[in-house]
Amino acid sequence: MNISDFEQYEGYLEIIDDNLFDEIFYIDRIEKLEPTEKVIEAIELLSRLFTDDRMEMLEEVRQMNILAQADIFDLWFDIIKSRDYVEGVAKAVIYYSIGMPV
């Protein structure tokens, strides 16, 4: 997947400037992604973390089965440089799922 295609999903260019984009994502790993339905869904869900749609994203991920959630988190772990950030998101989904404040 080329970077400009990735950035267009849910408007990453409007959300994250170029310098910050390079600090957050592994560009070379994004370029190796095949734009399958699963990959596009994971990218769109991820983009919602950077917008006001975070709670809607948490609800959507919460409703997925555990294997679908694992696929999404695996992709996020692969393309996001900060493991702590992805772990934080995973915890937010878990907390949200069991009714704890996020």
Side-chain angles (χ1 to χ4, degrees), residues 14-68:
E14 297 169 12
I15 302 167
I16 304 171
D17 70 29
D18 287 340
N19 293 331
L20 187 56
F21 191 89
D22 291 341
E23 290 179 29
I24 295 173
F25 297 105
Y26 291 112
I27 304 302
D28 59 326
R29 294 180 185 178
I30 291 170
E31 290 173 336
K32 292 178 183 175
L33 293 175
E34 292 295 324
T36 64
E37 188 175 321
K38 282 184 177 182
V39 168
I40 291 169
E41 179 181 25
I43 291 168
E44 289 175 343
L45 287 169
L46 179 61
S47 71
R48 294 187 199 167
L49 290 176
F50 302 103
T51 68
D52 293 334
D53 295 336
R54 184 172 188 220
M55 296 307 287
E56 289 177 26
M57 182 280 301
L58 290 174
E59 179 62 27
E60 193 169 330
V61 173
R62 183 190 70 80
Q63 291 179 12
M64 295 176 175
N65 70 48
I66 195 73
L67 294 176

Side-chain angles (χ1 to χ4, degrees), residues 65-76:
N65 70 48
I66 195 73
L67 294 176
Q69 289 179 9
D71 285 343
I72 286 172
F73 289 126
D74 281 345
L75 185 129
W76 291 356

